[in-house]
Amino acid sequence: MRLLHIRFFVSFVHEQGTYLRFHNLARALHGLGQRVEVYGMDHVTTSARRLETRDGVPYHIFPSVKGSHTLRLLHPFNILRMFRWADSGPCDVAHLFQPFPVAGWSWRCCQAGVKFYDWDDLWVGGLMPPPASLRTWLELSVIRHGEGLLPAQADHVTACGAFLAGLARTRGAKAVTVLHNGLWPSPPAARAAARRALGLAAEARYVGFMGRTCDELGWIFTALKVEASRFPALRLALCGPPDGCLDGLEPELRARVDYLGQLTPAQAREFAAAIDLGLLPLADTPFNQSRFPIKYAEYMAAGAPVLCSNVGECGVLSSRFPWVLNAGKTPEDWGRAFGAAMPALMAGSLPRVDQQAVDADFAWKSIAEKLLQAYRSRLPRHLMEQTSI
């Protein structure tokens, strides 16, 4: 079976959020012998147009004009820059990640045998707040246009879970494949070594939270405050959210929190190995119903059981895993589940993660094989019979 020439069109190339989805898919496809290229924008405005190789994958990176994060994704100059410099010649697959014009226009114009659109977050009606000004109203309108039309304009949609897959179908998607966010199977770091590397207390019992989306952090702080007096060895390790998330915490509670700031992907794996229980609180909102947090699999990859809300794709999957503790859908549910888990946490008797089962479900290689099958199923027969483009 011939190898495919695949182009990913993305809106940013810094290592957070959706980057961890498209980069790992590109890396896994490259590992399967496919020819993969990524075209994306650098939000560092002083950078230069360049070619980088990341884990064997070539990245064609273009600098951005100045402006807010959202404005850069929609700015006409950025759209024109990427359109001018991105290769629009023949390829087998063009795959667009996220509904932003900065990458979307080049994707539309690419001479691909088949075009895919990846949907991993609900922006309008989900992540984005109601507009507060004419500018934010215009930004929201452009993104709404993309989320409304791209599912039907693509030959195939990939979605991170059932919620967005269903929404894509209602918006005219011709075919949909669910691709979860995954992990790279490897022996987790030893807990003691990971704690030393991160400066965490050797003898404490740690619950841990990592991630930029921190709307529910208050649930964790409240539960920690309730249980702190019962369990003196209990501590919270925290990475990812801005340091302002700790503003207003009582001194006694703040003293129980080890805030590690922003970590690299490699350090995040150490973080997950260092904790005793991963925390994933999710309010029952359209945004959380639509997404599949990368930390869900990353906690398990490091051997950490997870206390997780029963919301969205996480809620769909969690009943299969005895090491995922159901924390309901409300702050009250979360507090009760947190408290119920503490005796087992302190005794070191939380359910053990079955690493082989986790790897079987979430290995990036397996997810990429599923994606490759979708590519080949949608390519016209005459292209599949050609030699590689």
Side-chain angles (χ1 to χ4, degrees):
M1 190 172 294
R2 79 174 181 87
L3 304 182
L4 301 186
H5 180 191
I6 303 159
R7 293 195 183 116
F8 282 6
F9 292 90
V10 305
S11 297
F12 64 89
V13 294
H14 46 281
E15 296 183 354
Q16 61 184 36
T18 301
Y19 174 90
L20 300 174
R21 179 172 174 83
F22 66 72
H23 176 71
N24 285 310
L25 285 172
R27 176 184 169 188
L29 288 167
H30 171 76
L32 293 172
Q34 310 306 305
R35 179 185 171 192
V36 188
E37 301 173 284
V38 179
Y39 292 85
M41 184 177 65
D42 190 345
H43 283 209
V44 178
T45 59
T46 56
S47 68
R49 178 188 174 191
R50 63 195 187 277
L51 174 65
E52 288 184 9
T53 300
R54 303 184 180 184
D55 293 314
V57 178
Y59 271 67
H60 304 266
I61 302 173
F62 316 106
S64 170
V65 300
K66 293 182 178 180
S68 68
H69 175 79
T70 304
L71 181 61
R72 292 173 189 172
L73 303 174
L74 313 177
H75 201 291
F77 287 175
N78 285 336
I79 296 169
L80 290 172
R81 278 181 176 179
M82 194 160 175
F83 176 69
R84 177 185 175 189
W85 291 332
D87 188 344
S88 60
C91 66
D92 293 305
V93 181
H95 203 151
L96 174 66
F97 290 76
Q98 298 193 313
F100 304 118
V102 65
W105 190 254
S106 296
W107 172 80
R108 290 173 189 268
C109 298
C110 182
Q111 300 174 51
V114 66
K115 294 185 178 181
F116 275 55
Y117 167 58
D118 185 78
W119 203 0
D120 74 327
D121 278 325
L122 181 65
W123 286 78
V124 177
L127 179 61
M128 295 189 72
S133 65
L134 177 60
R135 181 179 66 80
T136 55
W137 179 85
L138 290 171
E139 291 172 351
L140 188 137
S141 297
V142 172
I143 296 170
R144 178 187 290 113
H145 180 77
E147 285 191 312
L149 296 182
L150 284 168
Q153 291 176 346
D155 298 300
H156 198 113
V157 173
T158 50
C160 69
F163 179 92
L164 288 178
L167 195 55
R169 292 186 183 98
T170 67
R171 297 184 181 182
K174 303 172 185 68
V176 183
T177 296
V178 171
L179 299 176
H180 294 137
N181 291 318
L183 53 86
W184 293 103
S186 63
R191 182 168 293 160
R195 289 188 178 184
R196 284 195 300 271
L198 296 172
L200 298 179
E203 302 302 323
R205 293 293 187 183
Y206 273 102
V207 293
F209 174 87
M210 57 182 176
R212 293 181 302 123
T213 305
C214 52
D215 291 345
E216 294 85 12
L217 266 182
W219 299 13
I220 298 175
F221 293 147
T222 299
L224 181 65
K225 181 179 179 180
V226 170
E227 301 300 330
S229 60
R230 284 207 298 159
F231 303 106
L234 177 62
R235 298 188 65 80
L236 168 65
L238 189 62
C239 71
D243 55 6
C245 69
L246 301 174
D247 292 348
L249 284 187
E250 301 169 12
E252 297 82 2
L253 187 59
R254 177 64 183 86
R256 294 285 191 111
V257 180
D258 291 273
Y259 174 69
L260 303 178
Q262 310 300 314
L263 300 182
T264 66
Q267 290 171 324
R269 287 191 290 273
E270 284 189 322
F271 178 93
I275 62 179
D276 298 286
L277 178 66
L279 304 180
L280 187 45
L282 300 165
D284 192 11
T285 64
F287 172 58
N288 286 329
Q289 291 162 12
S290 74
R291 67 194 187 103
F292 186 74
I294 288 172
K295 66 177 78 67
Y296 182 83
E298 288 185 337
Y299 285 143
M300 297 187 214
V306 186
L307 182 68
C308 181
S309 297
N310 187 27
V311 172
E313 197 69 10
C314 294
V316 172
L317 293 175
S318 292
S319 61
R320 295 162 46 186
F321 306 129
W323 53 87
V324 178
L325 311 180
N326 187 336
K329 298 184 178 183
T330 67
E332 294 76 22
D333 292 340
W334 177 267
R336 284 190 291 269
F338 187 96
M342 289 305 101
L345 174 72
M346 294 300 154
S349 59
L350 287 171
R352 293 180 62 85
V353 176
D354 182 339
Q355 214 66 55
Q356 289 186 333
V358 170
D359 293 349
D361 275 306
F362 296 113
W364 279 116
K365 180 182 177 182
S366 299
I367 295 169
E369 287 172 343
K370 185 177 180 181
L371 176 57
L372 188 56
Q373 182 180 10
Y375 288 159
R376 287 175 169 152
S377 73
R378 297 298 293 177
L379 274 167
R381 182 180 297 273
H382 73 277
L383 289 180
M384 286 301 297
E385 293 172 351
Q386 292 179 3
T387 58
S388 297
I389 293 175

